[in-house]
Amino acid sequence: MANDASTVFDLVILGGGSGGYAAALRGAQLGLDVALIEKNKLGGTCLHNGCIPTKALLHAGEVADQAREAEQFGVRASFEGIDVKGVHKYKDDVIAGLYKGLQGLVASRKVTYIEGTGHLSSPTSVDVDGRRVQGRHVLLATGSVPKSLPGLEIDGNRIITSDHALTLDRVPESAIILGGGVIGVEFASAWKSFGTDVTVIEGMKHLVPVEDENSSKLLERAFRKRGIKFNLGTFFQSAEYTDNGVKVTLADGKTFEAEVLLVAIGRGPVSAGLGYEEQGVAMDRGYVLVDEYMRTNVETISAVGDLVPTLQLAHVGFAEGILVAERLAGLKTVPIDYDGVPRVTYCHPEVASVGITEAKAKEIYGADKVVALKYNLAGNGKSKILKTAGEIKLVQVKDGAVVGVHMVGDRMGEQVGEAQLIYNWEALPAEVAQLIHAHPTQNEALGEAHLALAGKPLHSHD
């Protein structure tokens, strides 16, 4: 079918990552005839080079830390080191299982899957290795790749990206991580657990700078306690090879040396040379511009995922792909509220949030209209058992809804589901306070924070 130019699909999707395959699955479910084109592996960055493998490394690091610290729980154990091949086997087995399942899912939905490099050849067609695939609508979902800086040569050995870090054949003795955002702090956390001497360089004044400032400060405190070093507020200037590694110089002249330099300054869109601009698609710095329904300026073309300037999260890609499929199938769709998307950084401790920061709330509503409350996890029984520290911070419009939930602590990513409901359903603190949370759980801390904000604290001081 795909080789036959007379076949016209309802939807042709270029890119089989989170956004692309979600659109394919939902579109096929709704009766659309879908073609999905992918040049590498189905599942894209998230499954093969992002979310899944990094979290596997972080879990391996967590196990290493638990072995080192077992004595404090009355358990006799010893840590003998990291088997890098074993870690990679564990990681790759997780990926392989999910990959096989995803392949089966796409096949079961009768999606026409086409392996090959695609190029947008018209507003309604994609050429794949010399074959033309035609559709009534085209969805661009070509994702992103790690970014670098001018003059910074990625060699894959001493100066590496996250892609290289996921397959590194050794645990580096020392590492400089350029970038203190999500990718940077997650690798800093995993490598420290593996035994690496880590220094994070972040040009902004805080780690995870897009998070609420309180969350950033709590993470910085935890990293100091773990021995993870960081330099904030000064930007990178240059890097050069040394006899044994890399030397990094900052704009203020300060220098750092390590075995490897991980460049973790974010990811940029994959759009160059794919025919987008030639077909009249509006672009900005490589990103495809879309409206709130993921429509480009070309009527027959939509775009989703890391290719568009929205949050670079797999679950955002899922939601955007589903939105496009449902819109094309004639269903009523609602634009995504990106503030209402849960965000989790899976370092140790975890940073999780939904909604807006206190600073943003004050900017929108006025400083006198914003109430903030912090609930320390020291008062939570399960967190005490786990020996994790941190806080839950609530941001509320005075006498109104909770507009931000910001959490730091181990396993806080597992609590962000209820936080998402609180924000998206515009819940009042008193309404959440009425809900009974199981004891002892970390989820209980979210309930206790709302009890306090509602003026009736239980296990916390007035």
Side-chain angles (χ1 to χ4, degrees):
M1 291 174 64
N3 293 325
D4 185 357
S6 66
T7 300
V8 179
F9 293 93
D10 295 314
L11 176 61
V12 174
I13 303 169
L14 181 54
S18 302
Y21 84 68
L25 292 174
R26 183 61 176 141
Q29 191 177 52
L30 293 171
L32 300 180
D33 192 8
V34 180
L36 179 61
I37 300 162
E38 171 56 49
K39 69 176 182 179
N40 291 319
K41 288 184 176 180
L42 183 65
T45 294
C46 174
L47 179 53
H48 300 285
N49 302 98
C51 321
I52 299 302
T54 55
K55 279 49 177 183
L57 290 186
L58 282 158
H59 182 62
E62 181 183 3
V63 173
D65 288 334
Q66 288 173 341
R68 288 190 191 95
E69 299 163 5
E71 189 175 344
Q72 66 179 311
F73 300 99
V75 177
R76 293 177 181 173
S78 61
F79 174 73
E80 298 180 5
I82 300 296
D83 174 5
V84 175
K85 287 185 178 179
V87 170
H88 285 316
K89 182 182 185 306
Y90 153 66
K91 165 179 65 72
D92 294 342
D93 284 349
V94 171
I95 295 169
L98 292 170
Y99 180 44
K100 183 177 181 180
L102 182 58
Q103 289 174 304
L105 193 57
V106 167
S108 73
R109 296 278 175 92
K110 310 300 182 187
V111 172
T112 300
Y113 183 67
I114 303 167
E115 291 185 5
T117 301
H119 182 275
L120 187 66
S121 50
S122 81
T124 55
S125 66
V126 175
D127 286 356
V128 186
D129 299 332
R131 300 169 290 167
R132 179 150 295 181
V133 184
Q134 294 182 315
R136 295 178 179 85
H137 200 89
V138 175
L139 175 61
L140 307 177
T142 43
S144 63
V145 290
K147 290 195 294 189
S148 187
L149 293 170
L152 189 54
E153 293 289 329
I154 305 294
D155 63 22
N157 183 33
R158 296 194 197 183
I159 303 178
I160 63 176
T161 68
S162 57
D163 287 353
H164 303 114
L166 287 170
T167 57
L168 208 59
D169 62 359
R170 67 195 187 280
V171 174
E173 287 189 14
S174 58
I176 298 166
I177 298 179
L178 184 59
V182 173
I183 298 171
V185 300
E186 287 189 349
F187 272 101
S189 186
W191 276 349
K192 182 63 180 178
S193 296
F194 288 168
T196 303
D197 181 16
V198 179
T199 301
V200 181
I201 306 295
E202 170 54 54
M204 306 297 283
K205 65 178 182 178
H206 286 296
L207 296 177
V208 287
V210 301
E211 294 291 343
D212 189 272
E213 188 172 328
N214 185 66
S215 295
S216 296
K217 289 179 177 179
L218 288 169
L219 179 62
E220 288 159 15
R221 183 189 305 168
F223 269 22
R224 286 190 197 98
K225 190 173 180 180
R226 292 186 62 196
I228 298 173
K229 299 183 287 291
F230 47 88
N231 191 92
L232 306 174
T234 307
F235 286 97
F236 167 87
Q237 180 171 289
S238 63
E240 59 187 278
Y241 293 135
T242 64
D243 290 343
N244 301 311
V246 183
K247 177 180 176 181
V248 169
T249 302
L250 304 187
D252 61 1
K254 192 180 291 186
T255 61
F256 301 85
E257 293 190 29
E259 180 186 333
V260 297
L261 169 62
L262 170 60
V263 182
I265 58 171
R267 299 179 65 87
V270 175
S271 58
L274 296 179
Y276 298 170
E277 290 173 300
E278 290 86 339
Q279 301 306 322
V281 176
M283 313 275 289
D284 179 29
R285 294 169 296 132
Y287 290 100
V288 172
L289 299 179
V290 293
D291 67 8
E292 66 270 31
Y293 293 99
M294 315 315 297
R295 298 176 296 202
T296 72
N297 62 310
V298 179
E299 186 178 1
T300 55
I301 299 175
S302 297
V304 298
D306 288 359
L307 181 62
V308 302
T310 57
L311 293 172
Q312 290 187 331
L313 298 168
H315 45 288
V316 167
F318 295 151
E320 291 173 344
I322 291 167
L323 188 155
V324 170
E326 292 183 348
R327 172 169 57 81
L328 295 177
L331 301 185
K332 182 180 179 181
T333 54
V334 177
I336 296 167
D337 173 8
Y338 290 98
D339 287 334
V341 172
R343 306 171 293 273
V344 185
T345 303
Y346 295 88
C347 50
H348 167 46
E350 291 182 351
V351 180
S353 64
V354 66
I356 59 177
T357 64
E358 181 181 359
K360 185 67 174 178
K362 288 179 176 178
E363 183 183 315
I364 295 172
Y365 301 105
D368 60 331
K369 301 292 186 188
V370 173
V371 178
L373 179 137
K374 299 175 186 176
Y375 178 82
N376 197 307
L377 293 183
N380 175 253
K382 187 60 179 287
S383 295
K384 205 80 169 173
I385 291 166
L386 294 172
K387 289 186 177 289
T388 186
E391 288 179 355
I392 291 178
K393 177 179 176 179
L394 305 179
V395 180
Q396 176 199 15
V397 178
K398 193 172 183 179
D399 300 322
V402 173
V403 294
V405 181
H406 306 277
M407 304 179 286
V408 177
D410 288 344
R411 306 188 185 182
M412 285 298 105
E414 301 302 325
Q415 310 311 319
V416 82
E418 183 181 358
Q420 177 185 207
L421 298 179
I422 290 166
Y423 171 84
N424 284 290
W425 289 349
E426 299 178 351
L428 301 175
E431 292 172 329
V432 182
Q434 287 181 325
L435 302 174
I436 299 173
H437 292 75
H439 173 79
T441 63
Q442 288 185 291
N443 182 240
E444 184 182 16
L446 201 51
E448 293 268 1
H450 284 83
L451 279 167
L453 192 56
K456 48 180 184 180
L458 185 59
H459 293 101
S460 61
H461 297 289
D462 292 333

